[in-house]
Amino acid sequence: MTYEKDAAAIVAAVGGEENITSLYHCITRLRFTLADRSQVDEAAVRAVPAVQAINQSGEQFQVIIGNDVPKVFDAVTTGHPGLNRKVVTADGADSDDAPVKQGGNVVDRFFGFLSQTFPPLVPAIAGAGLIKGLLALAVWLGWMSTETQNYQLLYALGDGFFYFLPILLAISAARTFKTNVFVAGALSAALVYPGLVTLLSAGDPVHFLGVPVTATTYSYTVIPSLLAVWALSWVERGLKRIMPQALHLSVVPLLSLLVVGPVTLVALGPLGSIIGEQISGGLNWLLTHGGVFSGILLGALLSLIIMTGMHAALVPFILGNLATLGSDPFLPLTYVQVMSVAGALFGVAIRARSGKVRALSLSTGLTALMGVTEPGLFGLLVPMRKVFLGSMVGGAIGGAISLGFNAQAYALVGNSGLPGLPGLAGATFGWSALAMGAAFVGSLIAVCVIGFDESPLTGGVVEPASTGTARAAEDDLATVKSPANGTVVPLDRVNDPAFSGATLGKGIAVRPSDGEIVAPFTGTVVTVFPTKHVVGLISDDGIELLVHVGIDTVELGGKGFTAHVKDGDRVRTGDPMLTVDLPAVSATHDVTTVIVVTNTPAFAGVEPVVSGTVRAGDRLLAIESLEHALEATR
């Protein structure tokens, strides 16, 4: 779903760009600071399809979106570039003056940088890449000649993005590095400037102030531009610290370009080209010449690689292959991985004795076919290790076929499930389809043959799929435990309409008596918001939960909060998640902690089971599955 129209309507309804003095987003809502609150048309804001509710908190006008708020925020800033200079971080720092802050080691920060820089480019990559893929298919089928003007005009539409990729990538990287996007674009534009390309390709030695400039081509490249913008971010911040504010508009960009430009042409650009060529060459050699062996290895391990985030490091080289070669051998393996997970989940559905496990495997299996494997991967395959092993068998079979027959992808369409099949359209589509089918069937058969233990999902009791009698016992219901010691607060009494009106889902709240926030069930941490006041989780039963500590505590920018978990962590009931400096936070904010089931419609019932005082680990919510409710009526 795209949000361009919704974003435009929201900006217009709050009084337009001129009325917005600053904006940012938290985990559920857009937060605007407005010059004139009277210019807001609240009815028009509420009428926007993406908007669930609105709220006024102090000087902030909040537009409540829900889980898709990052997408809406991206649409707002993309459709209104002038607002980018008004974006602030959660602690109020100007995004152009503050470097990106990420926790973890160098590897974690590198993957975090990739995950922020490349996703904004995916729509253009998908559209332009698909044009090139479809043109290649048309030529292969004999429907079009490369000599025709129609082909050449269409090819320009597809190839233009990749030719000027350094410029567009620089703009996205500048947003990640929190440096001026247009100066970054100007810096990278010099790398593909026709006059420079001609000069470097003429064959004569080129020098700058006596220093030799390496003759290389930067069109279609990735790493040189990233290195240039990284250097620019440091130089620009250093200059802003030592120069008066009045000189920031003109002198800082001037000096930044004069310093970083020559360094890029003399050192960073050639270095980036060498690094990219060597790594890309090595990976492509392995993918092209490793054949069946590499296919078996990568096909079997790709789910693990994706779970650790290591696949993000391959994005630059995939883009490079698509840009320079027109195809890539790694992407088909991601389709194989999706189908191997889906096949394993359907294998569970066939063999499962527990109705709960069967229902969960069917729902997550269908989701996996659509290209979203995380619910099934973390909810079923990881807890039931033999099922994960079965998916690895299917992945190995599909990977062997894919690389054994040199299957290629011709576009990066952002989805490796059935909706993403156009990305494989080309000369090797048949082999890709065979690899996907083999992965699905191989995983399904392997799971059925190997078998599995259902107890991790049934609490040690394997129940039949259908008993023919009602099962209304409380123990049959999934539960959410209290994440904190304190006093229970009904959700409708929470001082925030987004929560009290159940806009984001049903649930309950706890006013904590101490600062320890623990895991409310066994599952996976989906997200820890940068300001560490919100944790999103998914249980092994498929319950998507939001634990939101305090009201409007995003304004603290993380002060008073310490996170003990990170995205992707596995947690068990009672594991520490957050520590809150309760006296400090409660001095300025309501510390009521809200616990809501964000996928409430997926269940028959979400009901509180306790009131008064509660201790961490006590039953807080009972969650009744649709299957349980259906069986109870029999």
Side-chain angles (χ1 to χ4, degrees):
M1 183 177 179
T2 58
Y3 292 99
E4 287 82 359
K5 291 183 179 179
D6 289 347
I10 290 171
V11 172
V14 298
E17 288 188 38
E18 298 77 10
N19 196 40
I20 300 172
T21 58
S22 68
L23 73 154
Y24 68 99
H25 75 87
C26 63
I27 200 165
T28 58
R29 61 196 79 186
L30 302 174
R31 294 171 176 262
F32 295 95
T33 302
L34 305 174
D36 183 357
R37 175 67 173 79
S38 65
Q39 292 188 32
V40 175
D41 184 342
E42 293 189 2
V45 177
R46 289 192 176 95
V48 177
V51 175
Q52 299 185 21
I54 61 175
N55 183 43
Q56 180 75 30
S57 177
E59 296 181 353
Q60 269 190 4
F61 182 73
Q62 302 171 1
V63 180
I64 300 161
I65 305 296
N67 293 336
D68 286 339
V69 67
K71 299 177 182 178
V72 178
F73 181 81
D74 286 345
V76 167
T77 53
T78 301
H80 302 81
L83 291 177
N84 282 289
R85 61 185 175 82
K86 300 180 181 181
V87 173
V88 298
T89 59
D91 60 359
D94 189 323
S95 65
D96 282 339
D97 293 333
V100 63
K101 297 179 181 179
Q102 296 173 334
N105 55 35
V106 173
V107 175
D108 290 335
R109 292 196 296 272
F110 173 66
F111 288 145
F113 163 72
L114 292 178
S115 67
Q116 293 179 57
T117 300
F118 284 96
L121 299 176
V122 168
I125 292 170
L130 194 52
I131 289 175
K132 293 184 70 175
L134 292 174
L135 283 174
L137 180 61
V139 171
W140 179 63
L141 293 173
W143 295 347
M144 185 177 289
S145 168
T146 57
E147 303 300 323
T148 64
Q149 293 181 350
N150 288 336
Y151 175 88
Q152 293 171 15
L153 290 171
L154 289 172
Y155 191 82
L157 289 175
D159 194 53
F161 168 84
F162 296 101
Y163 185 90
F164 294 106
L165 180 61
I167 300 174
L168 299 171
L169 185 61
I171 292 172
S172 184
R175 290 174 175 169
T176 304
F177 283 128
K178 307 302 181 187
T179 192
N180 189 286
V181 295
F182 300 108
V183 175
L187 175 64
S188 289
L191 298 180
V192 292
Y193 182 67
L196 180 64
V197 174
T198 301
L199 178 65
L200 294 178
S201 62
D204 298 325
V206 178
H207 295 80
F208 180 78
L209 299 179
V211 180
V213 177
T214 303
T216 186
T217 301
Y218 294 107
S219 297
Y220 304 101
T221 61
V222 170
I223 295 181
S225 184
L226 295 181
L227 291 177
V229 177
W230 170 75
L232 175 68
S233 68
W234 285 98
V235 171
E236 183 179 88
R237 286 196 297 273
L239 291 171
K240 284 185 175 181
R241 291 192 186 101
I242 63 175
M243 301 189 74
Q245 180 72 34
L247 300 179
H248 285 191
L249 181 62
S250 56
V251 178
V252 168
L254 167 68
L255 295 180
S256 297
L257 287 172
L258 287 178
V259 171
V260 183
V263 171
T264 299
L265 291 172
V266 170
L268 295 179
L271 174 64
S273 294
I274 293 171
I275 293 173
E277 289 171 2
Q278 293 301 313
I279 297 178
S280 183
L283 287 172
N284 285 330
W285 186 94
L286 176 66
L287 292 168
T288 304
H289 297 89
V292 172
F293 173 77
S294 294
I296 292 173
L297 184 65
L298 290 172
L301 298 179
L302 194 54
S303 285
L304 291 173
I305 293 172
I306 290 174
M307 288 168 61
T308 60
M310 293 172 61
H311 66 296
L314 297 175
V315 172
F317 311 109
I318 292 171
L319 289 175
N321 284 337
L322 292 173
T324 58
L325 304 176
S327 63
D328 175 73
F330 180 79
L331 277 175
L333 294 178
T334 65
Y335 289 79
V336 166
Q337 182 266 341
V338 165
M339 290 301 138
S340 68
V341 171
L345 293 168
F346 278 95
V348 172
I350 291 174
R351 181 158 175 170
R353 295 170 56 200
S354 163
K356 178 173 70 175
V357 173
R358 177 175 294 176
L360 184 60
S361 61
L362 281 173
S363 62
T364 55
L366 291 170
T367 302
L369 286 175
M370 295 299 105
V372 182
T373 60
E374 285 81 359
L377 193 59
F378 290 110
L380 276 154
L381 270 65
V382 171
M384 299 196 296
R385 297 178 181 178
K386 287 187 176 181
V387 178
F388 198 105
L389 178 62
S391 75
M392 292 175 68
V393 171
I397 295 171
I401 294 173
S402 182
L403 290 189
F405 291 97
N406 196 29
Q408 301 283 319
Y410 301 91
L412 178 57
V413 298
N415 186 302
S416 294
L418 296 180
L421 287 178
L424 301 175
T428 60
F429 179 81
W431 294 121
S432 297
L434 178 62
M436 293 169 64
F440 182 90
V441 174
S443 292
L444 187 150
I445 293 175
V447 168
C448 289
V449 171
I450 296 172
F452 46 84
D453 178 11
E454 299 174 50
S455 61
L457 298 184
T458 60
V461 178
V462 178
E463 61 188 28
S466 176
T467 62
T469 60
R471 292 184 294 118
E474 191 176 66
D475 290 341
D476 285 338
L477 304 180
T479 59
V480 172
K481 306 295 180 62
S482 177
N485 300 318
T487 304
V488 173
V489 178
L491 195 62
D492 60 6
R493 296 184 185 177
V494 172
N495 188 26
D496 187 310
F499 294 123
S500 61
T503 302
L504 301 174
K506 293 183 178 181
I508 200 169
V510 174
R511 187 171 293 112
S513 56
D514 59 53
E516 298 304 316
I517 306 297
V518 302
F521 48 50
T522 297
T524 302
V525 176
V526 176
T527 183
V528 179
F529 201 68
T531 49
K532 294 171 284 190
H533 72 295
V534 179
V535 179
L537 309 103
I538 182 170
S539 76
D540 292 341
D541 296 316
I543 302 168
E544 298 176 10
L545 197 75
L546 196 68
V547 179
H548 191 292
V549 181
I551 306 301
D552 288 330
T553 42
V554 66
E555 297 169 351
L556 296 174
K559 296 176 182 177
F561 293 85
T562 302
H564 305 297
V565 293
K566 61 182 184 302
D567 295 4
D569 280 356
R570 287 283 297 170
V571 292
R572 301 186 66 84
T573 305
D575 285 351
M577 296 198 304
L578 302 174
T579 297
V580 185
D581 185 347
L582 206 61
V585 175
S586 62
T588 56
H589 289 75
D590 181 348
V591 294
T592 300
T593 298
V594 181
I595 304 98
V596 293
V597 177
T598 56
N599 62 336
T600 293
F603 301 99
V606 175
E607 300 296 335
V609 294
V610 68
S611 60
T613 303
V614 70
R615 296 190 59 81
D618 289 350
R619 295 177 75 250
L620 198 62
L621 295 172
I623 315 295
E624 184 178 17
S625 69
L626 295 172
E627 183 209 20
H628 182 280
L630 180 62
E631 290 189 5
T633 63
R634 294 177 180 173

